[in-house]
Amino acid sequence: MTNPWAEWDHVLKVDPDKELYGDETFEDVVATGTDAIEIGGTLGMTEAKMQRVIDACADHDVALYQEPSNPAVVVDSPALDGYLIPTVFNAADPFWIVGAHAEWVRIEDGLDWDRTTTEAYIVLNPDASVAEYTDADCDLSVDDVTAYARIAERMFGQEIVYLEYSGTLGDPEIVAAAADALDETTLFYGGGVHGYETAREMGTHADVVVVGDLLHEEGCDAVRETVEGARDANAE
């Protein structure tokens, strides 16, 4: 069975700890044309904040996933299509590779395995909160990133590899090399996408472009431009 993200071009990541732009509502958010909404963030996460966003998006026809940053904020909700769980391959602290996941399994009675998928994160911006939070080694060469991508797919069977440049636009050479290293695994790219051109540039290499901060900083019209850019890139 083909996983849904194999058909995606664009994901909109909503940070429950941040306000929407201006007077926009979640009805505006789900109408941006994105393929899926991923609810998650690094700092200030609580179960209540996650639940608020899930409830606001639940009745709309768009795929809805939670990306919890730790086991304490996981929401058990039938409104969710699933859970996308980061495992940070270049984290210096093993807690963010497998430790947090083991803790979730330990405390969760009846974890929904059928709706749970891990994402092989490769964090590449040392100034990003996620890099500090996970103590990630971001000083990686093209060959390093390619190796991480290959072992994620070939050795660990990851369905998603996620290049995370959160807060800055990534190096197209690295994104292209990671894409070339993968056969079946879907490559997500996130970081610094602020319009049509940057979405199209990164979408030329990555399978899925992830946009997050733009929603909160510039609003839904700006997000729609990135949806168009990602779609046009994958149509080429």
Side-chain angles (χ1 to χ4, degrees), residues 10-14 29 32 34 36-39 210-212 215 223:
H10 187 281
V11 167
L12 181 55
K13 185 178 287 190
V14 179
V29 172
T32 55
T34 188
I37 291 176
E38 189 174 37
I39 303 167
V210 182
V211 173
L215 171 69
V223 170

Side-chain angles (χ1 to χ4, degrees), residues 124 140-142 145-146 163 165 171-179 187:
L124 293 166
L140 302 179
S141 67
V142 173
V145 173
T146 298
L163 299 188
Y165 277 92
D171 183 342
E173 180 184 359
I174 289 179
V175 182
L187 180 63

Side-chain angles (χ1 to χ4, degrees), residues 110-184:
L111 192 149
D112 191 346
W113 293 107
D114 290 339
R115 293 197 298 156
T116 301
T117 303
T118 51
E119 307 165 290
Y121 260 65
I122 306 170
V123 178
L124 293 166
N125 178 9
D127 297 324
S129 296
V130 64
E132 181 177 354
Y133 197 56
T134 63
D135 195 18
D137 176 12
C138 302
D139 186 20
L140 302 179
S141 67
V142 173
D143 289 343
D144 293 331
V145 173
T146 298
Y148 274 122
R150 283 180 175 151
I151 65 169
E153 180 174 42
R154 301 295 183 86
M155 297 180 69
F156 290 90
Q158 296 294 287
E159 298 173 14
I160 298 169
V161 168
Y162 192 137
L163 299 188
E164 175 62 285
Y165 277 92
S166 181
T168 190
L169 192 65
D171 183 342
E173 180 184 359
I174 289 179
V175 182
D180 289 343
L182 300 173
D183 291 327
E184 301 296 330

Side-chain angles (χ1 to χ4, degrees), residues 69-72 85-88 91-104 133-135:
S69 56
N70 66 77
I85 312 299
T87 175
V88 182
D93 184 349
F95 183 77
W96 301 112
I97 303 171
V98 70
H101 314 72
E103 178 65 11
W104 184 19
Y133 197 56
T134 63
D135 195 18

